[in-house]
Amino acid sequence: MSLYDGQSDAYDAARDLAATDDSRRIMLDRHLRARGISDERLLAVMADLPRERFVPPQLAASAYADSALPIDHGQTISQPYIVALMTEQLHPRPDHRVLEIGTGSGYQAAVLARLCAHVFTIERIAELSDAAAARLRDLGLNNVTYRVGDGTMGWPEEAAFDGIIVTAGAPHVPAALTQQLALGGRLVVPVGGDAEQSLRVLQRRPGRIIEDRSVPCRFVRLIGADGWST
Ligand code: SAH
């Protein structure tokens, strides 16, 4: 059974609850700004996007909490701070074409769609991709292209990208993704074991790739030809 099945009344009630309390403001002030997120365009988008629409209805009241939450198929929607941090590290601009690996609920894709010209997003589980696409269309976000498949190979037909974000934990940086970066483009990817990964930010410069590491984080596995095998 889907976590999203059932009562649209419960959905509406929970949505009202989340909207009427000040959970969004707490998310912005305590979970994002206080930890150093300062990109005002990004903060405005996260203040405006109805995150409760991306989580199962029975969790809508927790939609703005400082944690990841379960979605269907054993996957998760990331903690707001991690979404904000990864987005900030991508340096998104209104003229950018960006690629996301791991559509999941579609929340990260929606944030990027509001900040960039176009988002290409790949998800290996068809039901998640379809549900995310319907959700984003409902929100009037039409600058997103969806693909069902293995994102570890990137999207060669649409490369090069100004930014690539991987929202699942990889055992190493997938080579195809680095190759599909435009000059100046950034790749943000969590790399490490199951228990913990560290966020890596790679940037293509003329003739070389530079790399930084930032915070520890915990994502579900990136499963694919150049990721985990199961
Ligand atoms: N960005 C999502 C969070 C995704 S959780 C959000 O905002 O909700 C990670 C997702 O990556 C899961 O849905 C999982 O199915 C997907 N995934 C794992 N390996 C993948 C791969 N190789 N290609 C595409 N998607 C993958």
Side-chain angles (χ1 to χ4, degrees):
M1 184 183 118
S2 163
L3 291 174
Y4 293 90
D5 276 355
Q7 335 82 335
S8 65
D9 289 354
Y11 212 142
D12 290 342
R15 187 184 304 158
D16 291 343
L17 189 68
T20 51
D21 71 23
D22 49 11
S23 54
R24 283 190 200 192
R25 193 182 48 75
I26 292 172
M27 173 186 80
L28 280 180
D29 292 347
R30 291 197 206 149
H31 307 154
L32 305 183
R33 283 186 203 278
R35 293 193 185 126
I37 303 297
S38 61
D39 179 337
E40 290 299 332
R41 284 179 73 224
L42 166 62
L43 289 162
V45 166
M46 289 186 70
D48 188 55
L49 261 186
R51 190 171 153 92
E52 63 276 14
R53 303 256 289 256
F54 293 81
V55 305
Q58 65 275 23
L59 294 177
S62 308
Y64 298 89
D66 191 23
S67 61
L69 294 171
I71 59 171
D72 277 347
H73 295 277
Q75 307 303 320
T76 54
I77 175 173
S78 306
Q79 178 190 8
Y81 172 64
I82 293 292
V83 172
L85 183 67
M86 292 177 79
T87 306
E88 208 169 59
Q89 289 173 336
L90 210 58
H91 295 212
R93 289 203 325 236
D95 60 325
H96 277 177
R97 297 167 73 254
V98 299
L99 172 65
E100 178 194 29
I101 314 302
T103 313
S105 71
Y107 182 72
Q108 174 73 72
V111 170
L112 290 169
R114 295 279 299 271
L115 294 169
C116 299
H118 203 93
V119 180
F120 298 86
T121 183
I122 310 179
E123 168 58 54
R124 60 186 286 274
I125 300 173
E127 291 85 352
L128 290 179
S129 178
D130 294 345
R135 212 169 271 141
L136 267 64
R137 256 180 244 120
D138 260 10
L139 291 170
L141 297 169
N142 298 314
N143 57 337
V144 183
T145 310
Y146 306 85
R147 175 184 259 189
V148 175
D150 176 11
T152 63
M153 295 292 128
W155 197 324
E157 301 85 351
E158 295 292 348
F161 299 98
D162 302 301
I164 302 179
I165 187 166
V166 183
T167 62
H172 54 260
V173 178
L177 301 185
T178 314
Q179 285 157 12
Q180 290 173 27
L181 278 180
L183 195 59
R186 287 186 165 78
L187 164 62
V188 182
V189 53
V191 176
D194 272 336
E196 190 175 285
Q197 304 100 37
S198 67
L199 273 187
R200 303 221 192 152
V201 185
L202 290 80
Q203 188 185 23
R204 177 176 291 286
R205 295 274 180 86
R208 69 198 169 106
I209 300 282
I210 57 166
E211 183 173 338
D212 275 330
R213 268 175 214 221
S214 66
V215 300
C217 52
R218 187 169 182 181
F219 282 86
V220 297
R221 281 186 165 194
L222 180 73
I223 297 171
D226 201 15
W228 298 99
S229 55
T230 53

